[in-house]
Amino acid sequence: MDYSIFPIFISMILTLSTSVNGQAIGSPNLSPAPAPGPEYTNLAELLSVTGPFHTFLDYLESTKVIDTFQNQANTTKEGITLFVPKDSAFSKLKKPSLSNLTADQLKSLCLFHALPHYYSLADFKNLSKISPVYTFAGGELYSLNFTDVSGTVHLTSGWTNTKVSSAVRATYPVAVYQVDKVLLPEAIFGTDIPPTPAPVVDIAPDADSPDADNGKAIPVASPDSTSLSSSHRMMTWGVSNNLFLAIAGGFLMFL
Ligand SMILES: *[C@@H]1O[C@H](CO)[C@@H](O)[C@H](O)[C@H]1NC(C)=O
Ligand SMILES: *[C@@H]1O[C@H](CO)[C@@H](O)[C@H](O)[C@H]1NC(C)=O
Ligand SMILES: *[C@@H]1O[C@H](CO)[C@@H](O)[C@H](O)[C@H]1NC(C)=O
Ligand SMILES: *[C@@H]1O[C@H](CO)[C@@H](O)[C@H](O)[C@H]1NC(C)=O
Protein backbone atom coordinates (compact mmCIF):
# COMPACT_ATOMS: atom_id res chain seq x y z
CA MET A 1 0.00 0.00 0.00
CA ASP A 2 2.59 2.50 1.12
CA TYR A 3 4.83 1.56 -1.78
CA SER A 4 2.21 2.27 -4.44
CA ILE A 5 1.45 5.71 -3.06
CA PHE A 6 5.09 6.70 -2.71
CA PRO A 7 5.86 7.47 -6.42
CA ILE A 8 2.74 9.62 -6.69
CA PHE A 9 3.77 11.52 -3.62
CA ILE A 10 7.26 12.12 -5.08
CA SER A 11 5.91 13.36 -8.39
CA MET A 12 3.57 15.71 -6.56
CA ILE A 13 6.48 17.21 -4.71
CA LEU A 14 8.45 17.55 -7.94
CA THR A 15 5.56 19.25 -9.73
CA LEU A 16 5.11 21.62 -6.83
CA SER A 17 8.74 22.56 -6.61
CA THR A 18 9.21 23.10 -10.33
CA SER A 19 6.16 25.33 -10.52
CA VAL A 20 7.48 27.36 -7.62
CA ASN A 21 10.85 27.69 -9.33
CA GLY A 22 9.20 28.63 -12.61
CA GLN A 23 7.32 31.41 -10.91
CA ALA A 24 10.37 32.74 -9.15
CA ILE A 25 12.38 32.94 -12.37
CA GLY A 26 9.53 34.19 -14.54
CA SER A 27 8.37 37.02 -12.32
CA PRO A 28 9.88 40.35 -13.36
CA ASN A 29 12.23 41.75 -10.77
CA LEU A 30 11.52 45.46 -10.65
CA SER A 31 13.18 46.27 -7.36
CA PRO A 32 16.16 48.61 -7.91
CA ALA A 33 18.11 47.10 -5.02
CA PRO A 34 20.50 44.41 -6.29
CA ALA A 35 19.21 41.13 -4.94
CA PRO A 36 21.57 38.57 -6.44
CA GLY A 37 20.38 35.02 -6.11
CA PRO A 38 22.97 32.37 -5.35
CA GLU A 39 23.42 31.66 -9.06
CA TYR A 40 23.47 35.13 -10.56
CA THR A 41 26.81 36.66 -11.51
CA ASN A 42 27.02 40.07 -13.11
CA LEU A 43 29.86 39.51 -15.56
CA ALA A 44 30.58 43.18 -16.27
CA GLU A 45 30.76 43.90 -12.57
CA LEU A 46 32.98 40.90 -11.94
CA LEU A 47 35.40 41.90 -14.71
CA SER A 48 35.50 45.51 -13.58
CA VAL A 49 36.62 44.68 -10.04
CA THR A 50 39.07 41.88 -10.87
CA GLY A 51 42.02 41.83 -13.21
CA PRO A 52 42.59 44.60 -14.38
CA PHE A 53 40.52 43.46 -17.36
CA HIS A 54 39.32 46.91 -18.49
CA THR A 55 40.47 46.61 -22.10
CA PHE A 56 38.74 43.29 -22.59
CA LEU A 57 35.59 44.54 -20.84
CA ASP A 58 35.59 47.61 -23.10
CA TYR A 59 35.71 45.36 -26.17
CA LEU A 60 32.92 43.15 -24.76
CA GLU A 61 30.76 46.20 -24.16
CA SER A 62 31.44 47.99 -27.45
CA THR A 63 30.62 44.81 -29.39
CA LYS A 64 27.62 44.00 -27.13
CA VAL A 65 29.10 40.53 -26.68
CA ILE A 66 28.77 41.08 -22.93
CA ASP A 67 24.98 40.69 -23.35
CA THR A 68 25.41 37.39 -25.19
CA PHE A 69 27.62 36.10 -22.41
CA GLN A 70 25.39 37.40 -19.62
CA ASN A 71 22.35 35.90 -21.29
CA GLN A 72 24.12 32.54 -21.50
CA ALA A 73 24.98 32.77 -17.80
CA ASN A 74 21.45 33.87 -16.88
CA THR A 75 19.30 31.52 -18.86
CA THR A 76 21.08 28.31 -19.80
CA LYS A 77 21.87 25.15 -17.92
CA GLU A 78 25.14 24.89 -19.83
CA GLY A 79 26.64 27.93 -18.18
CA ILE A 80 29.72 29.65 -19.58
CA THR A 81 33.52 29.62 -19.38
CA LEU A 82 35.42 32.83 -20.11
CA PHE A 83 39.12 33.29 -20.80
CA VAL A 84 40.09 36.86 -20.00
CA PRO A 85 43.41 38.50 -20.89
CA LYS A 86 44.69 41.23 -18.58
CA ASP A 87 45.17 44.80 -19.81
CA SER A 88 48.91 44.15 -20.04
CA ALA A 89 48.27 41.34 -22.54
CA PHE A 90 46.56 43.84 -24.84
CA SER A 91 49.30 46.46 -24.48
CA LYS A 92 51.93 43.83 -25.32
CA LEU A 93 50.03 42.98 -28.47
CA LYS A 94 51.88 45.10 -31.03
CA LYS A 95 51.79 42.70 -33.93
CA PRO A 96 49.24 41.83 -35.13
CA SER A 97 47.25 44.84 -34.02
CA LEU A 98 43.54 44.78 -33.24
CA SER A 99 43.10 48.39 -34.27
CA ASN A 100 42.22 47.69 -37.88
CA LEU A 101 39.84 44.77 -37.37
CA THR A 102 36.32 45.19 -38.72
CA ALA A 103 33.42 45.32 -36.25
CA ASP A 104 32.48 41.74 -37.14
CA GLN A 105 36.03 40.50 -36.64
CA LEU A 106 36.25 42.22 -33.28
CA LYS A 107 33.00 40.59 -32.25
CA SER A 108 34.28 37.17 -33.30
CA LEU A 109 37.49 37.79 -31.40
CA CYS A 110 35.48 38.49 -28.23
CA LEU A 111 33.26 35.43 -28.74
CA PHE A 112 36.40 33.39 -29.28
CA HIS A 113 37.30 33.97 -25.62
CA ALA A 114 34.40 31.93 -24.26
CA LEU A 115 33.05 28.38 -24.31
CA PRO A 116 29.28 27.82 -24.17
CA HIS A 117 29.62 25.47 -21.20
CA TYR A 118 30.76 25.71 -17.62
CA TYR A 119 34.09 23.99 -17.04
CA SER A 120 35.70 23.74 -13.65
CA LEU A 121 39.48 23.52 -13.56
CA ALA A 122 39.19 19.77 -13.02
CA ASP A 123 37.15 19.46 -16.25
CA PHE A 124 40.06 20.68 -18.38
CA LYS A 125 41.66 17.26 -18.20
CA ASN A 126 38.69 16.01 -20.21
CA LEU A 127 38.85 18.94 -22.58
CA SER A 128 42.35 17.95 -23.65
CA LYS A 129 40.92 14.60 -24.74
CA ILE A 130 38.17 16.13 -26.86
CA SER A 131 40.19 18.99 -28.40
CA PRO A 132 39.61 20.90 -30.61
CA VAL A 133 36.84 22.53 -28.56
CA TYR A 134 34.46 24.93 -30.28
CA THR A 135 34.20 28.40 -28.77
CA PHE A 136 31.26 30.78 -28.71
CA ALA A 137 32.41 32.13 -32.08
CA GLY A 138 31.45 28.72 -33.51
CA GLY A 139 32.91 26.32 -36.03
CA GLU A 140 36.21 24.60 -36.55
CA LEU A 141 38.02 27.79 -37.51
CA TYR A 142 37.25 29.22 -34.10
CA SER A 143 38.28 26.30 -31.95
CA LEU A 144 40.80 25.94 -29.15
CA ASN A 145 43.01 23.02 -28.21
CA PHE A 146 43.66 22.26 -24.57
CA THR A 147 46.54 20.36 -23.08
CA ASP A 148 47.23 19.56 -19.48
CA VAL A 149 50.94 20.07 -18.77
CA SER A 150 51.57 18.74 -15.25
CA GLY A 151 48.47 20.38 -13.83
CA THR A 152 48.67 23.64 -15.80
CA VAL A 153 46.09 24.18 -18.51
CA HIS A 154 47.65 25.22 -21.80
CA LEU A 155 45.53 26.40 -24.70
CA THR A 156 46.33 27.09 -28.29
CA SER A 157 44.44 28.84 -31.06
CA GLY A 158 47.04 28.20 -33.72
CA TRP A 159 48.25 31.79 -33.49
CA THR A 160 48.36 31.97 -29.73
CA ASN A 161 49.88 29.56 -27.26
CA THR A 162 49.12 30.50 -23.70
CA LYS A 163 48.06 29.12 -20.36
CA VAL A 164 45.47 29.66 -17.68
CA SER A 165 47.31 31.67 -15.05
CA SER A 166 44.57 31.91 -12.46
CA ALA A 167 40.95 31.20 -11.75
CA VAL A 168 39.03 34.43 -11.21
CA ARG A 169 35.81 32.60 -10.53
CA ALA A 170 34.67 29.02 -10.91
CA THR A 171 31.20 28.68 -9.47
CA TYR A 172 28.53 27.14 -11.66
CA PRO A 173 27.25 28.51 -14.01
CA VAL A 174 30.12 31.00 -14.46
CA ALA A 175 33.81 30.18 -14.82
CA VAL A 176 36.26 33.01 -15.49
CA TYR A 177 39.94 32.24 -16.00
CA GLN A 178 42.77 34.66 -16.55
CA VAL A 179 44.98 33.89 -19.55
CA ASP A 180 48.41 35.36 -20.29
CA LYS A 181 47.72 36.39 -23.86
CA VAL A 182 44.96 37.64 -26.11
CA LEU A 183 43.60 34.64 -28.04
CA LEU A 184 43.94 35.25 -31.75
CA PRO A 185 41.80 33.01 -33.96
CA GLU A 186 43.31 31.54 -37.08
CA ALA A 187 40.12 32.47 -38.92
CA ILE A 188 41.00 36.17 -38.60
CA PHE A 189 44.76 36.22 -38.48
CA GLY A 190 45.46 33.44 -40.93
CA THR A 191 47.96 30.66 -40.58
CA ASP A 192 51.24 32.42 -41.32
CA ILE A 193 52.62 31.50 -37.93
CA PRO A 194 56.39 32.05 -37.83
CA PRO A 195 57.79 29.17 -35.61
CA THR A 196 58.33 26.48 -38.28
CA PRO A 197 60.78 27.64 -40.96
CA ALA A 198 59.41 27.49 -44.48
CA PRO A 199 60.95 24.73 -46.64
CA VAL A 200 63.72 26.12 -48.81
CA VAL A 201 62.70 26.10 -52.44
CA ASP A 202 65.61 25.08 -54.67
CA ILE A 203 66.12 27.48 -57.52
CA ALA A 204 67.29 25.67 -60.60
CA PRO A 205 70.88 26.76 -61.40
CA ASP A 206 70.17 26.61 -65.12
CA ALA A 207 68.16 29.81 -65.52
CA ASP A 208 68.16 29.48 -69.28
CA SER A 209 66.24 26.25 -69.22
CA PRO A 210 62.71 26.69 -70.60
CA ASP A 211 61.31 24.97 -67.50
CA ALA A 212 62.74 27.56 -65.10
CA ASP A 213 59.52 29.52 -64.72
CA ASN A 214 57.08 26.72 -64.02
CA GLY A 215 59.48 24.29 -62.44
CA LYS A 216 58.93 25.44 -58.85
CA ALA A 217 58.21 22.51 -56.59
CA ILE A 218 55.38 23.26 -54.21
CA PRO A 219 55.50 20.83 -51.31
CA VAL A 220 52.07 19.37 -50.65
CA ALA A 221 51.51 18.74 -46.97
CA SER A 222 49.40 15.71 -46.15
CA PRO A 223 46.91 16.09 -43.26
CA ASP A 224 49.09 13.68 -41.27
CA SER A 225 52.22 15.73 -41.57
CA THR A 226 50.35 18.90 -40.64
CA SER A 227 49.02 17.48 -37.40
CA LEU A 228 52.40 15.99 -36.63
CA SER A 229 54.14 19.29 -37.08
CA SER A 230 51.55 21.14 -35.01
CA SER A 231 51.88 18.73 -32.10
CA HIS A 232 55.62 18.99 -32.43
CA ARG A 233 55.32 22.74 -32.34
CA MET A 234 53.25 22.50 -29.17
CA MET A 235 55.84 20.26 -27.52
CA THR A 236 58.70 22.50 -28.52
CA TRP A 237 56.85 25.41 -27.13
CA GLY A 238 56.28 23.59 -23.86
CA VAL A 239 59.94 22.73 -23.56
CA SER A 240 61.11 26.24 -24.31
CA ASN A 241 58.60 27.57 -21.82
CA ASN A 242 60.01 25.31 -19.12
CA LEU A 243 63.48 26.38 -20.10
CA PHE A 244 62.43 29.97 -19.74
CA LEU A 245 61.01 29.28 -16.28
CA ALA A 246 64.23 27.55 -15.28
CA ILE A 247 66.32 30.47 -16.50
CA ALA A 248 64.02 32.99 -14.84
CA GLY A 249 64.23 30.96 -11.63
CA GLY A 250 68.02 30.95 -11.80
CA PHE A 251 68.03 34.68 -12.45
CA LEU A 252 65.88 35.33 -9.38
CA MET A 253 68.42 33.57 -7.20
CA PHE A 254 70.97 36.25 -8.08
CA LEU A 255 68.69 39.06 -6.98
C1 LIG B 1 20.61 38.65 -16.24
O1 LIG B 1 19.93 38.56 -15.00
C2 LIG B 1 19.96 39.76 -14.22
C3 LIG B 1 19.34 39.47 -12.86
O2 LIG B 1 18.16 38.74 -13.00
C4 LIG B 1 19.29 40.88 -14.98
O3 LIG B 1 19.36 42.07 -14.22
C5 LIG B 1 20.00 41.07 -16.31
O4 LIG B 1 19.33 42.06 -17.07
C6 LIG B 1 20.04 39.77 -17.10
N1 LIG B 1 20.82 40.03 -18.28
C7 LIG B 1 20.64 39.39 -19.45
C8 LIG B 1 21.51 39.79 -20.59
O5 LIG B 1 19.81 38.51 -19.58
C1 LIG C 1 45.96 45.83 -40.67
O1 LIG C 1 47.27 46.08 -40.19
C2 LIG C 1 48.25 45.19 -40.65
C3 LIG C 1 49.57 45.55 -40.04
O2 LIG C 1 49.42 46.01 -38.75
C4 LIG C 1 48.33 45.21 -42.16
O3 LIG C 1 49.24 44.23 -42.59
C5 LIG C 1 46.95 44.93 -42.74
O4 LIG C 1 47.00 45.06 -44.14
C6 LIG C 1 45.94 45.88 -42.17
N1 LIG C 1 44.62 45.53 -42.67
C7 LIG C 1 43.75 46.44 -43.09
C8 LIG C 1 42.43 45.89 -43.53
O5 LIG C 1 44.00 47.61 -43.09
C1 LIG D 1 35.63 13.80 -17.13
O1 LIG D 1 36.05 12.44 -17.23
C2 LIG D 1 35.72 11.67 -16.07
C3 LIG D 1 36.28 10.28 -16.27
O2 LIG D 1 36.73 10.07 -17.55
C4 LIG D 1 34.19 11.66 -15.92
O3 LIG D 1 33.84 10.93 -14.77
C5 LIG D 1 33.68 13.08 -15.79
O4 LIG D 1 32.26 13.10 -15.74
C6 LIG D 1 34.13 13.91 -16.98
N1 LIG D 1 33.72 15.30 -16.80
C7 LIG D 1 33.17 16.03 -17.77
C8 LIG D 1 32.85 17.43 -17.42
O5 LIG D 1 32.96 15.57 -18.89
C1 LIG E 1 43.97 20.90 -32.44
O1 LIG E 1 43.97 19.48 -32.39
C2 LIG E 1 43.57 18.88 -33.60
C3 LIG E 1 43.49 17.38 -33.38
O2 LIG E 1 44.18 16.97 -32.26
C4 LIG E 1 44.55 19.24 -34.71
O3 LIG E 1 44.16 18.65 -35.92
C5 LIG E 1 44.60 20.76 -34.84
O4 LIG E 1 45.56 21.13 -35.79
C6 LIG E 1 44.92 21.42 -33.51
N1 LIG E 1 44.80 22.85 -33.65
C7 LIG E 1 45.69 23.69 -33.16
C8 LIG E 1 45.37 25.12 -33.34
O5 LIG E 1 46.69 23.33 -32.56
Side-chain angles (χ1 to χ4, degrees), residues 137-152:
E140 210 165 322
L141 285 172
Y142 288 100
S143 60
L144 289 169
N145 281 6
F146 291 83
T147 40
D148 184 278
V149 182
S150 52
T152 305

Side-chain angles (χ1 to χ4, degrees), residues 112 128-133 140 143-146 155-161 186 193 223 226-228 230-231 233-234:
F112 189 55
S128 58
K129 284 179 211 142
I130 57 163
S131 286
V133 178
E140 210 165 322
S143 60
L144 289 169
N145 281 6
F146 291 83
L155 53 160
T156 175
S157 69
W159 250 101
T160 314
N161 291 309
E186 243 177 61
I193 312 153
T226 325
S227 70
L228 259 178
S230 82
S231 67
R233 217 189 299 145
M234 218 141 66

Side-chain angles (χ1 to χ4, degrees), residues 55 59 88-102 105-106 109 112-113 157-161 181-195:
T55 311
Y59 279 126
S88 54
F90 282 96
S91 55
K92 272 188 229 146
L93 195 71
K94 298 259 154 55
K95 201 187 99 174
S97 149
L98 304 186
S99 57
N100 63 2
L101 293 187
T102 66
Q105 286 173 327
L106 207 52
L109 181 97
F112 189 55
H113 284 74
S157 69
W159 250 101
T160 314
N161 291 309
K181 289 183 189 162
V182 181
L183 304 175
L184 304 176
E186 243 177 61
I188 295 176
F189 295 94
T191 50
D192 54 341
I193 312 153

Side-chain angles (χ1 to χ4, degrees), residues 115-172:
L115 308 176
H117 185 81
Y118 168 82
Y119 292 104
S120 70
L121 267 181
D123 292 333
F124 282 115
K125 284 216 163 86
N126 294 33
L127 276 187
S128 58
K129 284 179 211 142
I130 57 163
S131 286
V133 178
Y134 288 5
T135 65
F136 237 102
E140 210 165 322
L141 285 172
Y142 288 100
S143 60
L144 289 169
N145 281 6
F146 291 83
T147 40
D148 184 278
V149 182
S150 52
T152 305
V153 180
H154 289 253
L155 53 160
T156 175
S157 69
W159 250 101
T160 314
N161 291 309
T162 187
K163 62 177 170 30
V164 169
S165 44
S166 71
V168 176
R169 185 187 180 101
T171 312
Y172 176 83

